[in-house]
Amino acid sequence: MAESAASTTHMPIPALRDIVELLKPITWFPPMWAFMCGVVSSGTTVDGRWLFLIAGIALTGPLVCGTSQAVNDWFDRHVDAINEPHRPIPSGRIAGNWGLRIAILWTLVSLLVAWATGPWVLAATIFGLACAWGYSAPPFRFKSSGWTGPAVVGLTYEGLAWFTGAAVMLGSLPPTDVLIVLGLYSLGAHGIMTLNDFKAVEGDTATGLRSLPVTLGVDRAAKCACATMALPQVAVIWLLISRDMIWSAAIVSVVLLAQIALMPRLISDPKRHAPWYSATGVTLYVSGMLAAALGLGGYLV
């Protein structure tokens, strides 16, 4: 036991390129986009708040999202050994407990930056970090449920990042309409998160993770994901129309119809077409988010 601890202690410091790969920069875009939507929906200018804006971008992307990726890879190292053995931890490029150390360090850095940004952002960051750890780490391990896991990720990646953007600019709690819309887009993101599970059905089945493709079957899970993405957008359109944001509602309607037109191909072979839909349908989804934000911010009514 002592020899094992000693060998872990003397593991070499990981290379910078491997640490960056662990933090998965490609995953930072969705929360950073949602953060931008929050900034736009606030309806305020960035004059005098540039430092807060930069801090918010860093929090939603490299820091909190990066932390979630490091935490996930550490606690999923056995699953990744089956699904993605080339990842930094299962491949041995980040050896010993360095993956855990990086996750803890990035958590602390995130909290420090959030503390300097303001109380509402700090509160959102604490909640986001709690979700990041609870998603992957026992005893909660929200990701083991195909219902709870995607809901947690959708809430943090879309809703919480949007909330942070609006709170950074306003310095206060965002208006009710903004909270409703970010909540609806968070709900729709549950379907987006399910798309990521189609590629890992074999590994999830072998390790006991109850993703929707595992529990419902691939075909039913795809239909459920499509409905989950579409219905909240219908509610967003209704809210925008009720607030006389006609142009904004029209754009969201168009991008929703385009998504619906693409869904039959996804449903025909979810395991094959999920990456394609992530590149096309999800792009349309987040475009609608920005259109809704522009309406809420008074730029497009």
Side-chain angles (χ1 to χ4, degrees), residues 194 198 201 211-224 270:
T194 299
F198 289 110
V201 174
S211 67
L212 290 190
V214 171
T215 58
L216 297 181
V218 170
D219 293 338
R220 289 180 62 196
K223 294 175 182 176
C224 180

Side-chain angles (χ1 to χ4, degrees), residues 63-125:
L63 293 176
V64 175
C65 184
T67 297
S68 73
Q69 299 304 324
V71 172
N72 185 66
D73 271 26
W74 172 254
F75 288 102
D76 263 14
R77 59 195 184 279
H78 306 303
V79 180
D80 286 344
I82 299 172
N83 292 328
E84 299 180 275
H86 60 278
R87 293 291 302 154
I89 294 177
S91 68
R93 287 179 286 132
I94 294 183
N97 62 6
W98 270 107
L100 180 61
R101 293 181 185 183
I102 293 168
I104 293 172
L105 174 62
W106 231 229
T107 297
L108 296 176
V109 173
S110 299
L111 289 171
L112 181 62
V113 173
W115 173 80
T117 308
W120 283 106
V121 176
L122 176 59
T125 300

